């Protein structure tokens, strides 16, 4: 759907803020905490639009660092459609987070007080992967594989 005035609004206000995940109350213990993190990780790893775009281009998203390199090589046809770019930016960020959580020791999803997901590393560093996904979808930089390499190093 193309809405002309929305493009002007986005230029003034920036991209859509991304996804929000709301958590239900306090944790009740280690088992519940682990189970909650697993459910959140499963939900955030869906990335349906990104997976569909990748599949159409013949790219398999297997939650590996190599798949991030393959995504970086896609021709960015989505940039012609601002609505698709916004959704794809969310999905790209969530996919990057999924790869980090599944492959970097001690990394896990963290839900910020505003409901927006981020990845927290064992060092305590927090990465706003959704913002990174939007930058990638809009500009192609930083590349997802490059950002992953930087995250995995430190």
């Amino acid at each position: 759907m193309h809405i002309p005035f929305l493009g002007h609004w986005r230029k003034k206000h920036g991209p859509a803020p991304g996804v929000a995940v709301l958590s239900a109350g306090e944790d009740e213990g280690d088992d519940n905490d682990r189970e909650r993190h697993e459910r959140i990780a499963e939900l955030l790893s869906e990335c349906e639009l990104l997976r569909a775009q990748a599949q159409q281009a013949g790219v398999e998203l297997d939650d590996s660092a190599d798949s991030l390199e393959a995504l970086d090589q896609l021709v960015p046809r989505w940039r012609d459609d601002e609505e698709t770019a916004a959704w794809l930016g969310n999905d790209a960020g969530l996919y990057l987070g999924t790869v980090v959580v599944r492959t970097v020791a001690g990394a896990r999803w963290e839900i910020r007080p505003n409901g927006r997901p981020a990845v927290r590393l064992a060092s305590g560093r927090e990465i706003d992967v959704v913002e990174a996904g939007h930058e990638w979808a809009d500009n192609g930089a930083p590349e997802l594989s490059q950002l992953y390499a930087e995250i995995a190093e430190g």
Side-chain angles (χ1 to χ4, degrees):
M1 178 197 268
H2 179 67
I3 305 172
F5 74 85
L6 191 55
H8 299 295
W9 184 89
R10 283 192 179 128
K11 286 179 185 173
K12 290 180 183 176
H13 300 285
V19 297
V21 178
L22 302 177
S23 177
E26 296 292 317
D27 295 330
E28 297 177 14
D30 289 340
D31 288 340
N32 287 338
D33 189 41
R34 214 178 348 249
E35 187 177 305
R36 181 176 64 92
H37 281 285
E38 288 173 9
R39 285 193 314 259
I40 289 171
E42 184 179 332
L43 174 69
L44 296 177
S45 71
E46 289 180 3
C47 315
E48 290 180 29
L49 179 60
L50 181 69
R51 290 182 189 277
Q53 293 269 338
Q55 185 177 21
Q56 287 175 353
V59 173
E60 180 186 352
L61 298 185
D62 60 1
D63 301 345
S64 70
D66 289 340
S67 65
L68 293 172
E69 288 183 39
L71 282 175
D72 288 334
Q73 302 305 312
L74 291 180
V75 175
R77 299 186 206 302
W78 60 82
R79 290 190 189 136
D80 296 334
D81 181 349
E82 290 181 20
E83 187 175 335
T84 300
W87 281 102
L88 199 65
N90 284 333
D91 278 9
L94 296 176
Y95 185 72
L96 171 63
T98 295
V99 173
V100 171
V101 167
R102 292 188 177 167
T103 61
V104 175
R108 67 181 199 146
W109 285 108
E110 188 75 24
I111 307 303
R112 293 178 167 173
N114 66 0
R116 190 164 169 166
V119 171
R120 181 173 299 275
L121 302 177
S123 66
R125 179 178 167 210
E126 197 172 277
I127 296 121
D128 187 341
V129 290
V130 174
E131 182 179 320
H134 278 282
E135 290 176 18
W136 175 81
D138 293 341
N139 307 314
E143 291 183 337
L144 297 174
S145 59
Q146 177 187 3
L147 192 53
Y148 172 82
E150 292 170 10
I151 292 167
E153 269 183 17

